[in-house]
Amino acid sequence: MNYQWYPGHMTKARREMEADIRLIDLVIELVDARMPLSSQNPDIDVMAAGRGRLILLNKADLADPAVNRQWCGYFEGKGYQALLINAKSGEGLRSIQGKVQAACREKIERDRRRGIRNRPVRAMVAGIPNVGKSTFINSYAGKAVTKTGNRPGVTKGKQWIRPQKDLELLDTPGILWPKFEDQAVGMRLAFIGSINDDLLVKEEVALDLISFLSETYPDALTERYGAPGGEPLPMLEAIGGMRKCYKKGGEVDLEKTAGMLLDDFRNGRLGRISLERPKKGNGL
Ligand code: G4P
């Protein structure tokens, strides 16, 4: 399957992101814990230069716990503050305050030297589509929202919310675009549902997912469907047969089976699966 994908509106998104970054001290960058590098955009390094960075590995509940720990170590080894979270349940969010302080230590020190005390850290949330930005903003700041927009020095129309005393957050997240030029990245984005399924041939995505799972999580399909191992196409057919996904004439409905498989994977019903692991040469 060819995973080339050219999202529109990205120039506008970039311009908005660059304008917003001027207002802030810290970028809270959300990535998908199942594929932290493939769900990251390296342009953020340039755009966020001189700002603090906190990397939140979201959807940690869907990813392999052992690999999650490796990724945290990977980012920390590169000098970033990193945290595993589940924005949906709120797990991990309590540790954010400490991480924000650590990520902005230099700025806080600088303020102190200039006699500025208790100026809140200003931050924005950023990430590629579907990574959980809105869910995060709602669960982290939802209840304690104090709108503090439209004051001098703040771009008109920008709203700030204050999830805690020493942190102000732009209420709209910065949208980054994925690195869709890379086939392997495109494939992972398709697996997690970050490329509109209408742009893809579902059966082919499902076949690629079966190949990946057979290699890296060989028990996942057997445990869920009782499907024996084998080549991807016969496996997809077997899964369809076992789940009684038939067309009118009695043959297996591969499209429907593929849709079900992808849906099961995306909702964690095949287990906690990581699509990417840190390895040497996996540099940012
Ligand atoms: P975005 O703003 O970055 O585009 O992402 P958004 O918050 O809309 O989240 C995209 C999907 O990811 C939502 O699912 C959301 O519920 C889910 N999600 C966000 N964070 C987590 C997490 O930590 N764990 C899990 N398992 N899911 C998460 P949806 O299917 O679009 O909506 P819904 O059916 O959950 O309401």
Side-chain angles (χ1 to χ4, degrees):
M1 166 101 213
N2 184 3
Y3 290 101
Q4 292 296 336
W5 177 54
Y6 298 99
H9 316 303
M10 286 308 170
T11 317
K12 183 165 173 263
R14 184 181 185 122
R15 234 182 286 124
E16 280 176 8
M17 178 93 196
E18 282 168 347
D20 285 348
I21 272 183
R22 280 188 225 121
L23 306 172
I24 54 132
D25 310 301
L26 171 73
V27 177
I28 300 178
E29 184 187 1
L30 260 74
V31 296
D32 191 307
R34 292 168 292 178
M35 38 183 274
L37 296 187
S38 293
S39 57
Q40 202 177 33
N41 185 320
D43 291 356
I44 189 85
D45 288 341
V46 176
M47 284 196 290
R51 305 288 184 263
R53 281 272 281 288
L54 167 58
I55 298 180
L56 298 181
L57 297 126
N58 190 35
K59 308 199 186 185
D61 55 306
L62 298 176
D64 188 329
V67 183
N68 279 346
R69 286 191 291 277
Q70 291 172 19
W71 277 119
C72 254
Y74 171 89
F75 286 112
E76 283 163 0
K78 291 196 171 282
Y80 297 105
Q81 296 296 322
L83 188 65
L84 293 160
I85 63 161
N86 173 349
K88 216 167 162 177
S89 73
E91 211 169 317
L93 300 189
R94 253 182 298 159
S95 306
I96 287 183
Q97 188 163 11
K99 294 281 179 186
V100 166
Q101 295 294 311
C104 293
R105 195 166 288 138
E106 277 177 27
K107 172 220 169 295
I108 293 166
E109 289 290 315
R110 208 169 44 235
D111 278 359
R112 197 167 293 152
R113 280 199 301 275
R114 291 177 184 160
I116 303 168
R117 281 185 193 276
N118 303 326
R119 187 167 85 72
V121 168
R122 288 195 185 146
M124 73 181 291
V125 172
I128 66 167
N130 205 37
V131 81
K133 296 179 296 299
S134 311
T135 310
F136 169 74
I137 291 175
N138 282 335
S139 56
Y140 188 53
K143 283 179 219 109
V145 172
T146 319
K147 300 261 181 195
T148 57
N150 292 346
R151 29 166 225 228
V154 175
T155 312
K156 199 160 180 280
K158 290 283 171 209
Q159 292 287 332
W160 297 84
I161 49 187
R162 201 176 242 205
Q164 60 201 43
K165 193 165 61 54
D166 48 7
L167 180 67
E168 289 186 353
L169 205 60
L170 270 179
D171 73 342
T172 42
I175 298 170
L176 295 166
W177 46 99
K179 299 171 287 181
F180 48 86
E181 307 88 1
D182 180 331
Q183 283 287 299
V185 170
M187 185 178 74
R188 295 184 195 112
L189 290 165
F191 288 171
I192 65 168
S194 282
I195 299 181
N196 188 338
D197 277 336
D198 299 342
L199 300 174
L200 302 164
V201 182
K202 254 192 215 165
E203 289 99 303
E204 293 189 20
V205 181
L207 292 174
D208 284 341
L209 179 62
I210 292 174
S211 292
F212 168 81
L213 291 174
S214 303
E215 268 173 41
T216 43
Y217 294 89
D219 298 333
L221 294 171
T222 320
E223 279 169 16
R224 173 79 186 161
Y225 306 112
E231 291 299 307
L233 184 56
M235 268 184 97
L236 187 63
E237 284 167 341
I239 292 168
M242 282 163 184
R243 286 294 154 128
K244 304 202 171 8
C245 288
Y246 294 119
K247 287 187 191 164
K248 271 204 187 108
E251 68 183 293
V252 171
D253 186 334
L254 287 179
E255 193 188 345
K256 197 168 155 201
T257 310
M260 177 202 65
L261 173 68
L262 291 170
D263 198 54
D264 280 352
F265 168 73
R266 290 167 187 171
N267 288 294
R269 289 190 288 267
L270 300 182
R272 298 180 63 173
I273 288 167
S274 292
L275 297 171
E276 196 173 48
R277 291 159 197 259
K279 56 176 187 280
K280 283 207 178 85
N282 219 354
L284 284 170

